[in-house]
DNA sequence: ACCCGCGCTGTTGTATACAGGAGGGATAAC
DNA sequence: GTTATCCCTCCTGTATACAACAGCGCGGGT
């Protein structure tokens, strides 16, 4: 593992776990010591995190963990609704049979996990969910779209969404994914767009509670 | 001027001017020598350019200038149409009177330049155009939107758009800006959205010729 | 008691040095 | 003549050292 990846993972995990709370400073030396690398790769990692919106740079202060508020959340969800539904439209036209099969498999797996609720199912559902959305972006075939979305989804806000989901939310989310598969298999771009739009708005609704 | 900015400007200008053609390698040492700085800030500049999509990183090859094709252009214009029209919608709701006044002034200046066509007017129009779109993003009040758009507009393709414009295209572009101002001043989000959508699609049409 | 100025400390920005790995070319063996 | 192997060179990734600058506290002066 490269040193820059170590530094990146250290800061990222620190932010997501709350060890670096929003607004706190992240100095290069601290991270370098924590990750066991020199300042050079830490600098690079911090710039990457800045590009992803996890930290801001204040003049003569260095990196500061980005603070989020409700306005930011609304902004992100609106953009996500727009971009993800666009991705779904594209995927409806251009997804390969193999991609459709993989998506179907993921959606069914997620659906099963949500019904069975075995121990530690929440982490598995979260992981499946991420895979599903990534696979969908792959199917959309627009690297630029993927990059734009990555900058939004990486936000700490988005990562913690599932923790707030009720059992009903989880099942609805899985149902959305299944329905999306049907829309894609039918090559119905409008349908796929609508389902994805509902999916994102439902996520926003769940988070607001 | 910081060393990293010097390095950034050197590479960026080199790419835009065609001195670094698409697909060519950009080694850190070359840039360091060309910009008169050390490799450290060059690394940072190259990562920034990668985040903006101007260069790609291939394993054990370093930075390679991104190559564009028609598919990329279509992709970018579709995303721009979506995001810029969304920005226009937001701006219609939240622009301050001062912002509206600045936009109006810029649109009228651009319109005048397009009619008079004094020497070197093309550069001035390009500059005014950039200012207009930046001011509009400011008025939209969504930093995340601005960042997503920046990654698209920075593309070399976009920078050269005006060079292909006919006089009619230029006048229509200025007319779009003026109409957009009217829509914003009327606080008509739908109107603003539609005008912006037309504006971006017109740009794509001009580029395709 | 309050204010101004100076020096110290902490942090970033930049330069340089070193290690590791991949690719290419030359040379030798078959 | 062809091919395989070895070495050299170039380039990146990382570490360390140094310079510059801002913030802060302390001390002296008024």
């Amino acid at each position: 593992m490269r040193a820059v990846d170590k530094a990146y993972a250290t800061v990222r995990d620190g932010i997501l776990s709350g060890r670096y709370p929003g607004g706190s400073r992240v100095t290069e030396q601290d991270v370098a010591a924590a990750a066991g690398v020199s300042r050079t790769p830490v600098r690079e990692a911090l710039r990457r995190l800045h590009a992803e919106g996890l930290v801001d740079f204040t003049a003569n202060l260095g990196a500061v963990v980005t603070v989020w508020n409700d306005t930011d959340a609304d902004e992100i969800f609106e953009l996500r609704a727009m971009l993800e539904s666009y991705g779904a439209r594209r995927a409806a036209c251009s997804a390969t049979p193999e991609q459709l099969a993989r998506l179907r498999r993921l959606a069914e797996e997620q659906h099963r996990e949500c019904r069975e609720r075995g121990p530690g199912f929440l982490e598995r559902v979260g992981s499946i969910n991420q895979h599903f959305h990534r696979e969908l972006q792959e199917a959309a075939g627009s690297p630029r779209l993927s990059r734009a979305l990555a900058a939004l989804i990486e936000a700490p806000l988005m990562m913690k969404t599932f923790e707030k989901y009720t059992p009903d939310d989880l099942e609805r989310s899985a149902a959305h994914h299944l329905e999306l598969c049907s829309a894609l298999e039918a090559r119905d771009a409008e349908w796929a767009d609508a389902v994805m739009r509902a999916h994102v708005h439902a996520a926003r609704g769940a988070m607001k509670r």
Side-chain angles (χ1 to χ4, degrees), chain A:
Chain A
M1 193 187 206
R2 289 187 313 167
V4 55
D5 295 323
K6 259 195 278 189
Y8 177 81
T10 301
V11 180
R12 189 188 152 81
D13 293 349
I15 293 175
L16 263 54
S17 73
R19 197 150 17 89
Y20 292 119
S24 65
R25 288 180 61 190
V26 183
T27 67
E28 296 177 1
Q29 294 199 19
D30 287 352
V31 178
V37 298
S38 78
R39 270 182 53 217
T40 310
V42 172
R43 280 181 74 79
E44 191 174 323
L46 286 177
R47 305 297 158 146
R48 198 193 298 178
L49 289 162
H50 174 63
E52 292 172 358
L54 270 76
V55 302
D56 288 325
F57 283 109
T58 314
N60 305 316
L61 261 175
V64 176
V65 179
T66 306
V67 182
W68 306 89
N69 56 36
D70 286 354
T71 309
D72 290 315
D74 284 344
E75 215 186 290
I76 289 176
F77 273 111
E78 276 196 65
L79 284 167
R80 268 197 70 190
M82 214 167 30
L83 294 173
E84 296 248 31
S85 60
Y86 169 68
R89 273 199 315 273
R90 287 183 62 109
C93 301
S94 63
T96 67
E98 293 76 27
Q99 287 168 332
L100 292 176
R102 276 198 292 275
L103 285 167
R104 169 66 70 180
R105 198 171 51 74
L106 284 166
E108 280 173 355
E109 202 178 332
Q110 180 175 355
H111 187 61
R112 199 179 55 247
E113 289 281 4
C114 286
R115 300 194 106 189
E116 295 175 359
R117 291 191 201 136
F121 81 106
L122 207 56
E123 285 76 20
R124 285 198 299 281
V125 170
S127 167
I128 294 169
N129 181 66
Q130 280 192 14
H131 274 108
F132 185 89
H133 282 267
R134 206 170 307 153
E135 185 72 41
L136 186 66
Q137 282 172 42
E138 192 76 23
S142 171
R144 262 161 284 275
L145 172 65
S146 300
R147 274 230 302 253
L149 268 170
L152 300 175
I153 294 170
E154 290 296 314
L157 272 172
M158 299 299 111
M159 306 301 287
K160 296 177 184 165
T161 302
F162 269 104
E163 295 173 10
K164 294 201 172 185
Y165 269 32
T166 65
D168 278 353
D169 290 331
L170 286 168
E171 211 150 328
R172 178 161 56 198
S173 173
H176 280 153
H177 284 189
L178 284 170
E179 185 178 355
L180 188 62
C181 285
S182 299
L184 296 179
E185 283 153 11
R187 301 293 182 189
D188 190 330
E190 292 279 331
W191 186 10
D193 179 297
V195 174
M196 183 52 96
R197 216 169 273 271
H199 185 56
V200 175
H201 280 97
R204 176 169 68 172
M207 260 210 56
K208 276 202 169 173
R209 287 197 306 267

